[in-house]
Amino acid sequence: MDGIIFDILQTQLSIAMKGIRLRQELQNALQKAEEANQLKSRFLSMVSHELRTPLNLIVGLSEMALREQERSQTGSTEVLRKFQEQIYISGQHLDRLIRDVLDLASSQVAR
């Protein structure tokens, strides 16, 4: 009779220990998921800022170039040329940033 009680207690204790381990593993997994989510949010915030900066420059310089053209019938070609160079450089920068983000995203999908 003592052997049966011991076996039952041992089985119950084993089940309880397994439950504790599973709970700990679940808490660890949840913590890692929350950390990954925070990193993702920080990354997206940073990427969003990095994309908006050259885009705002492109839009602003384009608007300035259009106004300069409207204001001057003869056209201030040197000013317009500088605006166009900056627009081109900012567009190239924005293109590289977008390509980097897409490359990163596709490498994450491949994992």
Side-chain angles (χ1 to χ4, degrees):
M1 184 72 150
D2 285 340
I4 294 174
I5 293 174
F6 179 75
D7 288 344
I8 292 172
L9 287 174
Q10 185 179 13
T11 302
Q12 292 297 318
L13 184 59
S14 175
I15 292 170
M17 295 297 288
K18 232 183 216 181
I20 291 170
R21 272 193 306 260
L22 288 174
R23 240 181 249 118
Q24 287 173 340
E25 288 175 11
L26 180 60
Q27 286 175 341
N28 289 340
L30 181 59
Q31 183 179 0
K32 286 180 181 179
E34 288 173 358
E35 289 171 2
N37 194 36
Q38 288 175 355
L39 286 172
K40 180 189 74 166
S41 294
R42 268 191 269 152
F43 171 76
L44 290 175
S45 174
M46 185 179 73
V47 166
S48 174
H49 171 75
E50 291 296 321
L51 293 175
R52 281 194 317 259
T53 300
L55 183 59
N56 286 337
L57 183 62
I58 290 168
V59 171
L61 287 173
S62 298
E63 184 179 355
M64 289 170 62
L66 287 171
R67 284 185 187 167
E68 182 67 25
Q69 245 178 349
E70 287 173 1
R71 194 169 50 121
S72 170
Q73 293 278 335
T74 59
S76 176
T77 57
E78 187 58 34
V79 172
L80 290 176
R81 179 155 176 72
K82 286 182 181 181
F83 287 161
Q84 290 168 342
E85 286 174 0
Q86 284 300 312
I87 290 169
Y88 178 77
I89 291 168
S90 295
Q92 292 295 329
H93 180 66
L94 185 58
D95 181 54
R96 282 191 302 276
L97 288 172
I98 292 170
R99 286 175 193 255
D100 289 347
V101 169
L102 293 175
D103 288 346
L104 180 64
S106 64
S107 71
Q108 291 298 318
V109 169
R111 288 183 184 182

